[in-house]
Amino acid sequence: MEQSQIPKRTKLGQNVVIEEGVQIGENVTIGHNTVILKGTIIGDHVIIGSNCVLGVKKSGNQKMRTSDVKHPHLTIGNNTKIGNNVTIYAGSKIADHVFVADHASIRENSMIDSQTVIGRGAIVELNTSIGKRCTVQTLAYITGDTILEDDVFIGPCVSMSNDKYMGKKPYELKGAYIKKGAKIGNNATLLPNITIGENAIVGAGSVVTKDVPANATVVGVPAKTIK
Amino acid sequence: MEQSQIPKRTKLGQNVVIEEGVQIGENVTIGHNTVILKGTIIGDHVIIGSNCVLGVKKSGNQKMRTSDVKHPHLTIGNNTKIGNNVTIYAGSKIADHVFVADHASIRENSMIDSQTVIGRGAIVELNTSIGKRCTVQTLAYITGDTILEDDVFIGPCVSMSNDKYMGKKPYELKGAYIKKGAKIGNNATLLPNITIGENAIVGAGSVVTKDVPANATVVGVPAKTIK
Amino acid sequence: MEQSQIPKRTKLGQNVVIEEGVQIGENVTIGHNTVILKGTIIGDHVIIGSNCVLGVKKSGNQKMRTSDVKHPHLTIGNNTKIGNNVTIYAGSKIADHVFVADHASIRENSMIDSQTVIGRGAIVELNTSIGKRCTVQTLAYITGDTILEDDVFIGPCVSMSNDKYMGKKPYELKGAYIKKGAKIGNNATLLPNITIGENAIVGAGSVVTKDVPANATVVGVPAKTIK
């Protein structure tokens, strides 16, 4: 792998580790003890906190599925900010003006579009697409194979799943499909393969067991339409 | 900024980073790879684990609000213990004999009073006041603008929110106000701007949509008084 | 304590800290900035990510209970993989072919048997026994004093508790006892001291307030048998 390209004016903290083949844009700040793994591509004006690990290669044991990555490297767009103690995998693409808060983790084959916020301690699993200007709040869990269109709001501690049979039998894993402008209240539970329509609202603590129509508001266990 | 004051007998791990203007009390232990950022003030007999980042400056992108900090630095009281992989922001004050467990995160303008426990992976957002002898259990989420009086118990995975409209329109963000001695069961959901009365009990998994009177016990979705 | 035993072919990242008395097997990889504390025993072909802290000694303040550890050290079996930003305590035993994902945390006196997966950000508290081939999904919370038999599936964000009185009065802390092959859906809530029978299924978002018989499926708040 080729040598890393690190502009002289890059502001590097202490004990920063930069592996081979890393490309860093103009005016980038990298915090103390942060690790940038092989081949990671970082845009201009990016600010990264301390103790992060960026460009992690996928791993697992024999009980876990693997997924081929479409892009071999991690790419981070211009003006994006990454907090502290964050892990992001190779094979994902973070666009411009994104904010990834402390303790968040983003796996491979995830695409996070511009101006989106990934909250503190939030986890984004593999094969996920998140649109522009979304908010994924603190400790929310975006399961694998999930699609969030633009302007979606995922409240704190929202939980999703993508495996109807919980590992009991083979099943094409499918997370939620959440359409433009939908809002999911804090600690709501989404079952696998649910579609939430445009501008729909899911109340806090609801358990969503079937599709929600556009513009509907649903609440309760199981969630029912109230208007 | 003035030089840091580090007593000679401070027990420092390997690769510890201490920025300028840090003040460290007597008999302090700091674990390996921990980062103490500018201006942090650490009391006597404090024990800090490995891989922490203390004194983080607030950040965000254009979708996120900012909050002026009342105290420019992070202050950690005497005899307080901080675990591993913890992040705490500048502008917060942690009192004496507090325990902050591994992977926890505490944002700016938070006041954590003496003898309180902030659990493993728990997250305390900005502008929050937590009283004496409280327990905030593992993975609990204390949203911004929340008040916990003394002796409050927040169970594991409790979720709170402070934004009634989920970003849809302007709204004065308000978290819960939880009065002295109240206890919130694990994985309960609290809506914004709820008051939980003194010594009230919220059952595990309940969704609290309105104020709970003092000494009441509420359970269910939505939570109703059972005694 | 005796000197550490580190085979020459160990693949060590940058800034790795290895304290005294550590034993490392053949063909081990340790990522950048990872800290291996006193006395930790690591098997053959183990892969450990960056920014981990392994072999943490138990801690707490006067509000927290302590537990004597049966094994003084942390032991990690052959072919096990540990992700990034993971913390594991001294006094626990991780068997062979286990996968512990990024940001997970495992406390003292925990026994994790072979081929089990501990998910991203999942937390396993003290005095816990987890069987073979279990899956503990992302952000799941295994409270202290919990038993999982073999082949158990714990969905994402599942929450447990072990303290019926939430610290109000003395109580023998007891987590769930989850029998062979049982499956718990995402964001389900388990009350203290519940037994889930063999091959039982708990639906997503359910609140389980009493024992679940073998082979039963329960859903809702409180959870009721549907077949």
Side-chain angles (χ1 to χ4, degrees):
Chain A
M1 192 172 270
E2 72 272 47
Q3 271 204 301
S4 291
Q5 297 167 27
I6 308 173
K8 276 188 188 150
R9 283 171 309 177
T10 305
K11 206 172 151 190
L12 290 179
Q14 293 182 44
N15 310 322
V16 169
V17 177
I18 297 180
E19 291 194 344
E20 334 147 52
V22 169
Q23 293 172 39
I24 294 180
E26 291 301 315
N27 188 30
V28 167
T29 300
I30 300 178
H32 308 295
N33 294 337
T34 277
V35 172
I36 314 283
L37 296 169
K38 278 178 198 160
T40 299
I41 299 165
I42 296 172
D44 299 335
H45 315 295
V46 169
I47 299 176
I48 299 168
S50 297
N51 285 354
C52 293
V53 190
L54 304 184
V56 181
K57 296 284 180 279
K58 63 182 177 150
S59 183
N61 71 1
Q62 63 264 59
K63 275 185 67 69
M64 294 171 69
R65 68 175 168 145
T66 57
S67 165
D68 290 331
V69 294
K70 294 161 208 155
H71 312 274
H73 306 309
L74 167 63
T75 304
I76 296 175
N78 299 327
N79 298 295
T80 279
K81 293 181 190 170
I82 313 283
N84 304 278
N85 291 46
V86 168
T87 54
I88 310 182
Y89 276 59
S92 283
K93 193 168 184 309
I94 316 292
D96 299 345
H97 292 283
V98 170
F99 182 75
V100 180
D102 307 327
H103 301 261
S105 183
I106 299 172
R107 279 187 61 190
E108 68 269 20
N109 278 336
S110 296
M111 306 293 137
I112 316 281
D113 214 340
S114 58
Q115 298 182 58
T116 280
V117 175
I118 304 296
R120 185 169 305 272
I123 292 183
V124 176
E125 296 279 17
L126 71 177
N127 303 335
T128 287
S129 169
I130 298 183
K132 295 184 210 303
R133 297 173 303 274
C134 292
T135 299
V136 174
Q137 282 266 7
T138 304
L139 285 171
Y141 174 57
I142 310 297
T143 190
D145 310 280
T146 295
I147 298 168
L148 272 58
E149 291 187 351
D150 296 342
D151 301 302
V152 164
F153 180 99
I154 304 291
C157 314
V158 164
S159 171
M160 303 184 185
S161 62
N162 65 353
D163 183 358
K164 196 171 163 182
Y165 300 108
M166 300 196 261
K168 203 169 184 177
K169 44 183 166 177
Y171 170 72
E172 195 203 348
L173 298 172
K174 265 290 202 222
Y177 176 16
I178 304 182
K179 295 199 171 170
K180 193 171 159 53
K183 297 178 184 302
I184 316 294
N186 65 307
N187 215 15
T189 303
L190 306 187
L191 270 73
N193 201 8
I194 296 282
T195 297
I196 310 283
E198 273 194 29
N199 296 312
I201 294 175
V202 172
S206 300
V207 177
V208 183
T209 58
K210 55 182 189 184
D211 292 350
V212 175
N215 303 304
T217 296
V218 302
V219 301
V221 184
K224 286 179 182 155
T225 302
I226 55 169
K227 60 177 182 186
Chain B
M1 192 173 271
E2 72 273 47
Q3 270 204 303
S4 290
Q5 297 167 26
I6 308 173
K8 275 185 186 153
R9 284 170 309 176
T10 305
K11 207 172 152 192
L12 291 179
Q14 293 182 43
N15 309 322
V16 168
V17 176
I18 297 180
E19 291 193 345
E20 335 146 52
V22 170
Q23 293 173 39
I24 295 181
E26 290 301 316
N27 188 30
V28 166
T29 300
I30 300 177
H32 308 295
N33 294 339
T34 277
V35 172
I36 314 283
L37 296 169
K38 277 178 201 160
T40 299
I41 299 166
I42 297 173
D44 299 335
H45 315 293
V46 168
I47 299 176
I48 299 168
S50 297
N51 284 356
C52 294
V53 190
L54 304 184
V56 180
K57 296 283 180 282
K58 63 183 177 147
S59 184
N61 70 1
Q62 63 263 58
K63 274 185 68 68
M64 295 171 69
R65 67 174 168 146
T66 57
S67 164
D68 290 331
V69 296
K70 295 161 210 156
H71 313 275
H73 306 310
L74 167 62
T75 304
I76 296 176
N78 299 328
N79 298 292
T80 279
K81 293 181 190 170
I82 312 283
N84 304 277
N85 290 46
V86 168
T87 54
I88 311 183
Y89 276 59
S92 283
K93 193 167 184 311
I94 316 293
D96 299 345
H97 292 282
V98 170
F99 182 74
V100 180
D102 308 328
H103 301 262
S105 184
I106 299 171
R107 278 186 63 189
E108 69 269 20
N109 277 338
S110 297
M111 306 293 137
I112 316 281
D113 214 341
S114 58
Q115 298 183 60
T116 279
V117 175
I118 304 296
R120 187 169 303 273
I123 291 183
V124 176
E125 297 279 18
L126 71 176
N127 304 337
T128 286
S129 168
I130 298 184
K132 296 183 209 304
R133 296 173 304 274
C134 292
T135 299
V136 174
Q137 282 266 7
T138 304
L139 285 171
Y141 175 56
I142 309 297
T143 191
D145 310 279
T146 295
I147 298 168
L148 273 57
E149 292 187 350
D150 296 342
D151 302 301
V152 164
F153 180 97
I154 305 291
C157 313
V158 164
S159 171
M160 302 183 186
S161 62
N162 66 353
D163 183 359
K164 197 172 165 182
Y165 300 107
M166 301 196 262
K168 202 171 185 175
K169 43 182 164 175
Y171 170 70
E172 194 203 349
L173 299 172
K174 264 294 201 220
Y177 176 16
I178 305 182
K179 294 198 173 174
K180 193 169 159 53
K183 297 178 183 303
I184 316 293
N186 65 305
N187 216 16
T189 303
L190 306 188
L191 271 73
N193 201 6
I194 296 282
T195 297
I196 310 285
E198 274 196 28
N199 297 310
I201 294 175
V202 172
S206 301
V207 177
V208 183
T209 58
K210 55 183 188 184
D211 292 351
V212 175
N215 304 302
T217 297
V218 302
V219 301
V221 184
K224 287 179 181 156
T225 303
I226 57 169
K227 61 176 181 188
Chain C
M1 193 173 268
E2 72 271 49
Q3 271 205 302
S4 290
Q5 296 168 26
I6 308 172
K8 276 187 186 151
R9 283 171 309 177
T10 305
K11 206 171 152 192
L12 291 180
Q14 293 181 44
N15 309 324
V16 169
V17 177
I18 298 181
E19 291 194 343
E20 335 148 50
V22 170
Q23 293 172 40
I24 294 180
E26 291 300 316
N27 189 30
V28 166
T29 301
I30 300 177
H32 308 295
N33 293 340
T34 278
V35 172
I36 315 283
L37 296 170
K38 278 179 199 160
T40 299
I41 299 166
I42 297 172
D44 299 335
H45 315 295
V46 168
I47 299 176
I48 299 168
S50 297
N51 283 357
C52 294
V53 190
L54 304 184
V56 181
K57 296 285 180 279
K58 61 181 177 151
S59 183
N61 70 0
Q62 63 263 58
K63 275 186 65 69
M64 295 172 68
R65 66 176 170 147
T66 57
S67 164
D68 290 331
V69 295
K70 295 163 207 153
H71 311 275
H73 306 310
L74 167 63
T75 304
I76 296 176
N78 299 326
N79 298 293
T80 279
K81 292 181 190 168
I82 312 283
N84 304 279
N85 291 46
V86 168
T87 54
I88 312 183
Y89 276 59
S92 283
K93 194 170 182 311
I94 316 292
D96 299 345
H97 291 283
V98 170
F99 182 75
V100 180
D102 307 328
H103 301 260
S105 183
I106 300 172
R107 278 187 62 190
E108 68 269 20
N109 278 335
S110 296
M111 306 293 136
I112 316 280
D113 214 341
S114 58
Q115 297 182 60
T116 280
V117 175
I118 304 296
R120 186 169 304 273
I123 291 183
V124 177
E125 296 279 16
L126 72 175
N127 304 335
T128 286
S129 169
I130 298 184
K132 296 184 209 304
R133 296 173 304 274
C134 292
T135 299
V136 174
Q137 283 266 7
T138 304
L139 285 172
Y141 174 57
I142 310 297
T143 190
D145 309 280
T146 294
I147 297 169
L148 272 57
E149 291 187 351
D150 296 342
D151 302 303
V152 163
F153 180 98
I154 304 290
C157 314
V158 164
S159 171
M160 303 184 185
S161 61
N162 67 352
D163 183 0
K164 197 172 165 183
Y165 299 108
M166 302 196 261
K168 202 169 184 178
K169 43 183 165 175
Y171 170 72
E172 194 202 350
L173 298 171
K174 263 299 202 215
Y177 176 16
I178 304 183
K179 294 199 172 173
K180 194 170 158 53
K183 297 177 185 303
I184 315 294
N186 64 305
N187 215 15
T189 303
L190 306 188
L191 271 73
N193 200 7
I194 296 283
T195 297
I196 311 284
E198 274 195 27
N199 297 311
I201 294 174
V202 172
S206 301
V207 177
V208 183
T209 58
K210 55 184 189 182
D211 292 351
V212 175
N215 304 302
T217 296
V218 302
V219 302
V221 184
K224 288 180 181 153
T225 303
I226 56 169
K227 60 177 182 188

